[in-house]
Structures are given as C-alpha cells and as structure tokens.
Amino acid sequence: IVSPQSQPVAANTYKVPLSTEAMPGRVVLRWKKGPLDGINVYGQRGSETEWRLLGRDNRPPFDDLRPLEKPGVPEQRRYRVIGVIDDTEVTPASDVVSVTVSD
C-alpha cells in the first residue's frame, strides 16, 4: 500500500495562517510553519500606521510581551507575519489579525 503524498507548497505562495489570544501580560500569536524556516512578526498599536518589526520566530507560538503603553488603559493591537527562509522574507504578508489587550 502506497500512501498518497501531499503536494509541496511553494513558499512564495504560502500565506501563513495566524491567530491571536490575549492573556494576562501577553498576546499569543499562533501560526503554522509550513515550508518555512520561521516568520518575521510585525505589529501596530492603537492609531499607529507603520508596521514595527517585533521579532523573528522559528517555532510557534510567538508571545508579544510588551506592556500596555498606558497602564490600565486597554489598547487595540494588530499583527501580521511574513514567512522567512534563510533570513529572507519569501511569502506574502499574512492576513492582519486584531486583538484588544488589557491588564
């Protein structure tokens, strides 16, 4: 019996699946590695319009441990990730996911 093999996914067409969960003191970003070495994680807070590189992650999940800009004031955060192979971004940006963070 020969098991069917799945088709390999081309990295330049792979859109990294991304979801978030707000927890006390952090936001957990869950993603699937697929054919990648890792991801670059980008974020925005509140009314920011520029994407800020938060870091590189090679194994899911990624934890955003940044404190609130104003303690006690909930804030909206947005995230997107781009897949990386050999330190080069190779995938399109993921869909943007949003979460409200509070103490």
Side-chain angles (χ1 to χ4, degrees), residues 34-85:
L36 308 170
D37 292 340
I39 57 169
N40 284 340
V41 180
Y42 294 88
Q44 295 175 329
R45 294 200 250 201
S47 61
E48 292 178 348
T49 57
E50 296 292 319
W51 288 101
R52 171 180 287 169
L53 178 62
L54 303 179
R56 162 91 181 255
D57 193 33
N58 292 327
R59 283 185 298 170
F62 177 86
D63 290 343
D64 179 2
L65 302 173
R66 296 176 296 163
L68 295 172
E69 286 188 307
K70 296 178 185 171
V73 178
E75 66 186 29
Q76 184 74 22
R77 293 187 185 177
R78 291 168 303 285
Y79 299 94
R80 72 178 187 183
V81 300
I82 298 176
V84 174
I85 294 177

Side-chain angles (χ1 to χ4, degrees), residues 12-24:
N12 63 352
T13 62
Y14 183 70
K15 195 171 201 179
V16 180
L18 179 65
S19 65
T20 61
E21 182 180 1
M23 302 181 85

